Amino acid sequence: MSEKNNKKTIWAWCMFDWANQAYNMVITSTIFPAYFVFVTTNNPRKSDVVTFFGHQYVNTVLSNYILGLSYLIVVALLPILTSIADYRGNKKLYLQLFTWLGSLACAGLFFFDKGTPLEGPMICFGLASIGYCGGFVFYNSYLPQIASTDQQDAVSAKGFIYGYVGSIVVQLICFVVVLQPKLFGITEVDYLPARISFVIVFVWWIGFSFIAFKLLPKGQPNAGSHNYNVLTGGFKELAKVFGKVRKMPLMKRFLSAFFFYSVGVQTIMLVAANFAAKELHMPDDHLIIIILIIQVVAVGGAVIASKASARYGNTRTLIGLVTVWTAICCCVYFVANETQFYVAAVVVGLVMGGVQSLSRSTYSKYLPENIPDTASFFSFYDVTEKLSIVVGLFCFAKVEDITHEMRDSALALDCFFAVGLFLLIVLLVAERRAAKEQLAVV
């Protein structure tokens, strides 16, 4: 078992977030979504209908379906891989494999040019998502291993802060390349600068990840005296963890609430750029500025949430954050101009950083102390999150496909926020009841 609260180890863990958020910023939030909409509507009829493997889709519906499918693959794959990782004690290996997959897929997007058939770029887009999500589950599973319970809120927030700051830095680099390509001798300004930014993400992501690859602990094998093979062992370890989770009533309630509000949180973060580009017709430079504002404000949001949880408790703080999310998602339906979108972006940034970092540390606190199978336990957290994204993306895409209005899709997401908020309140009541029963026993 590695030493907890080691500053060097925590720094290495945070640097992985610094590395992989380049994907989240450039590929899912700013440059690629805007570039995709631009390329797939840049024709004489200005149609947003595209062809993919012989079938026709609205461009943004297709991108949401691809993202949803990639998360569904992760959901099917990760419970097995994380159990195997705990069984063999090699979760760092899987962290490396998924990181290489995602970063190389980003490099593959460089070949997405005008007139390129969509099959290849969309496969790379999906693989990049699988690599990012797959790596994150193993990254998250290190939290209870490297930080004691009383430090997990602060360490979780620190990881997100590193990620937000790193994403801002790489976005600024890409921002200069895209908006001032002639500074670098680039004369083809419509397509090449954006494609170069995808290569920058590859270099940034894999380059800084080597810090985590080198310094994070490998993990402890948990095979015991069992002699079953890797695949069978993975399923058996997963079944054991599932049995443990079923006996943790507070964890079960938290995961239920987390699922519903994550449908809204994660989906809004993934489709915001497409919404701004299609509904508000915002130019790329304005869109990038807004996303940068969100990331900068999110740093403060993560810090505020960490301090609020220390004073008011995790669940009460989450209730406050999700209440704000519920209100802002409803307001998005009425957003009609850039100024209103800027205001919404600032509020989203504040609650985005807080709800992400606090959700992760809250779940970590529900885990038993010093357990060896952290990857398997965190697979339930990540599977819950990824399933919520699948539901959110397919719901958002289906509503847009039916109504041809992304605003209607945003309104549909608000229902999930409302359910998540109700379940958090139920969790708070259950926590208070459990605290009273514990005091009575003492």
Side-chain angles (χ1 to χ4, degrees), residues 47 82 90 105-106 145 157 209 212 260 282 286 288 317 338 342 422:
S47 171
T82 50
N90 59 355
C106 288
Q145 185 178 344
S209 291
F260 280 97
M282 291 178 58
H286 292 195
I288 292 172
T317 305
E338 284 191 35
Y342 270 101
F422 171 76

Side-chain angles (χ1 to χ4, degrees), residues 178-439:
V178 171
L179 297 183
Q180 298 294 331
K182 293 181 180 179
L183 292 176
F184 304 92
I186 302 172
T187 56
E188 196 277 278
V189 297
D190 284 338
Y191 303 98
L192 185 58
R195 293 163 54 212
I196 290 175
S197 71
F198 306 149
V199 178
I200 292 173
V201 171
F202 158 70
V203 174
W204 182 281
W205 188 357
I206 195 62
F208 282 108
S209 291
F210 273 97
I211 297 173
F213 296 165
K214 181 175 178 60
L215 297 178
L216 286 178
K218 292 182 178 179
Q220 295 287 332
N222 189 33
S225 59
H226 299 295
N227 295 315
Y228 39 69
N229 62 44
V230 172
L231 184 60
T232 306
F235 278 111
K236 291 185 177 180
E237 288 299 307
L238 182 62
K240 283 200 314 186
V241 173
F242 179 70
K244 294 175 184 177
V245 171
R246 291 180 62 187
K247 298 176 183 178
M248 301 176 184
L250 295 180
M251 180 182 285
K252 286 194 299 182
R253 285 187 172 91
F254 170 73
L255 285 174
S256 298
F258 175 68
F259 170 82
F260 280 97
Y261 71 71
S262 286
V263 170
V265 171
Q266 300 296 334
T267 306
I268 285 177
M269 291 165 56
L270 291 171
V271 303
N274 284 338
F275 179 89
K278 286 189 71 172
E279 293 292 326
L280 304 178
H281 308 290
M282 291 178 58
D284 294 355
D285 54 343
H286 292 195
L287 178 60
I288 292 172
I289 290 171
I290 283 182
I291 301 299
L292 283 173
I293 290 173
I294 291 176
Q295 298 298 105
V296 171
V297 174
V299 173
V303 174
I304 292 170
S306 177
K307 293 183 180 300
S309 66
R311 181 171 181 177
Y312 301 108
N314 289 41
T315 304
R316 288 178 66 185
T317 305
L318 281 171
I319 287 173
L321 292 170
V322 175
T323 299
V324 177
W325 270 108
T326 306
I328 198 67
C329 186
C330 181
C331 291
V332 166
Y333 180 83
F334 302 99
V335 169
N337 55 55
E338 284 191 35
T339 301
Q340 294 173 350
F341 196 77
Y342 270 101
V343 174
V346 171
V347 179
V348 165
L350 277 173
V351 292
M352 179 182 72
V355 79
Q356 286 184 304
S357 64
L358 199 57
S359 295
R360 180 170 63 188
S361 61
T362 300
Y363 179 79
S364 183
K365 287 181 175 181
Y366 286 130
L367 298 181
E369 285 281 343
N370 298 319
I371 55 171
D373 48 349
T374 57
S376 291
F377 266 100
F378 259 93
S379 73
F380 282 92
Y381 177 84
D382 285 276
V383 164
T384 302
E385 182 182 57
K386 302 308 179 288
L387 274 175
S388 73
I389 296 172
V390 172
V391 171
L393 285 171
F394 277 98
C395 175
F396 196 94
K398 191 62 179 178
V399 172
E400 183 190 359
D401 196 27
I402 294 172
T403 67
H404 298 283
E405 285 287 342
M406 296 182 82
R407 297 176 187 274
D408 294 334
S409 298
L411 201 58
L413 290 181
D414 210 29
C415 299
F416 291 96
F417 275 121
V419 174
L421 179 59
F422 171 76
L423 292 175
L424 279 174
I425 295 172
V426 172
L427 172 63
L428 181 62
V429 173
E431 285 180 340
R432 289 176 175 175
R433 185 185 303 118
K436 287 181 181 178
E437 291 174 355
Q438 189 174 6
L439 286 174

Side-chain angles (χ1 to χ4, degrees), residues 24-42 59-60 63 109 112 122 125 171 175 178-179 190-191 193-195 197-198 269-279 281-289 291 406:
N24 210 20
M25 173 63 96
V26 177
I27 307 301
T28 66
S29 298
T30 56
I31 295 177
F32 181 80
Y35 179 76
F36 176 75
V37 170
F38 174 69
V39 170
T40 54
T41 56
N42 189 25
N59 52 8
T60 50
S63 64
L109 290 174
F112 182 21
M122 286 294 95
F125 180 56
Q171 181 64 85
F175 188 63
V178 171
L179 297 183
D190 284 338
Y191 303 98
R195 293 163 54 212
S197 71
F198 306 149
M269 291 165 56
L270 291 171
V271 303
N274 284 338
F275 179 89
K278 286 189 71 172
E279 293 292 326
H281 308 290
M282 291 178 58
D284 294 355
D285 54 343
H286 292 195
L287 178 60
I288 292 172
I289 290 171
I291 301 299
M406 296 182 82

